[in-house]
Amino acid sequence: MITPRVMYGSASDGKTVFFAGGIQMDDNGNPIVVRTVEKYNADTKMWTMIYRMHKSRKFSSGCFLRGKFYVLSGRDENDKHLTCGERYDEATNSWELMPGMLKDINFITSSQAPPLIAVVDDNLYLLEISLNELRIYDINTNVWKKLGSVPVSANAVFGWGVTFKSMGDRLLVVGTSHS
């Protein structure tokens, strides 16, 4: 990376990977939350710095949805949960701030995992950790629709240790069961 850091949001689209935000160390070894964004091209093996996000964020999640890179939630430099998202359009090299994108999500503790998200068939899904509930995002209304419960106990471990990924045209959820 051009700017070494940890706890960033990331996603890949083919042979390009984006890394957004995270925590880097300043010259005195103190952690700082950044809004730095870089992309890596696997064909050229080159890193490129791109335009910065609107918000500094750590512990965020990233995905590609309908040709754009999204960064969701996370925590700011004051460790406050962010309910906004941001969407990057590579064609215009610009970020759009999406206020309230996660306004209806319950953040149960400051030590919970980044949002558990996955994209299937150009739809964005979220596992709402506190309720063990599957939701789908309506991009036109900026609303998460409830689809029902999942058979894992994501809330027991604040989302850590739970896998929530897309597998082709399906969602994969792995974790301890309710029983």
Side-chain angles (χ1 to χ4, degrees):
M1 289 181 139
I2 298 168
T3 308
R5 57 196 187 278
V6 296
M7 304 302 174
Y8 44 76
S10 64
S12 62
D13 184 28
K15 294 191 177 186
T16 304
V17 186
F18 284 77
F19 300 85
I23 303 169
Q24 77 177 69
M25 296 300 193
D26 69 12
D27 294 337
N28 297 319
N30 299 310
I32 55 172
V33 181
V34 297
R35 43 187 206 130
T36 306
V37 184
E38 300 175 34
K39 71 176 178 177
Y40 177 74
N41 183 306
D43 285 335
T44 64
K45 297 180 179 29
M46 297 288 297
W47 289 93
T48 306
M49 189 73 72
I50 62 173
Y51 193 68
R52 300 165 79 171
M53 294 182 294
H54 293 273
K55 302 275 186 181
S56 298
R57 56 181 79 224
K58 61 183 179 180
F59 296 105
S60 60
S61 295
C63 68
F64 272 90
L65 179 63
R66 301 181 184 181
K68 296 183 180 169
F69 175 53
Y70 283 72
V71 182
L72 307 180
S73 190
R75 298 195 304 259
D76 67 13
E77 57 277 354
N78 298 313
D79 216 32
K80 180 182 175 205
H81 283 281
L82 297 169
T83 60
C84 61
E86 299 193 42
R87 173 172 51 204
Y88 178 71
D89 185 339
E90 194 165 15
T92 62
N93 190 29
S94 64
W95 285 94
E96 177 185 355
L97 186 63
M98 303 174 72
M101 189 172 182
L102 290 144
K103 65 185 176 291
D104 297 327
I105 304 304
N106 297 317
F107 295 106
I108 47 183
T109 176
S110 63
S111 61
Q112 80 181 52
L116 300 175
I117 60 171
V119 175
V120 174
D121 293 331
D122 249 356
N123 289 301
L124 178 59
Y125 294 88
L126 173 120
L127 176 54
E128 215 286 17
I129 295 168
S130 69
L131 302 171
N132 296 312
E133 186 175 74
L134 181 64
R135 297 185 182 191
I136 186 170
Y137 183 66
D138 184 330
I139 198 167
N140 298 315
T141 62
N142 193 32
V143 171
W144 291 92
K145 296 178 182 177
K146 300 175 184 181
L147 297 177
S149 297
V150 295
V152 299
S153 297
N155 60 353
V157 290
F158 308 118
W160 296 105
V162 175
T163 298
F164 185 68
K165 299 284 181 196
S166 58
M167 262 182 88
D169 62 351
R170 297 180 180 197
L171 290 170
L172 172 69
V173 182
V174 178
T176 48
S177 70
H178 293 299
S179 59

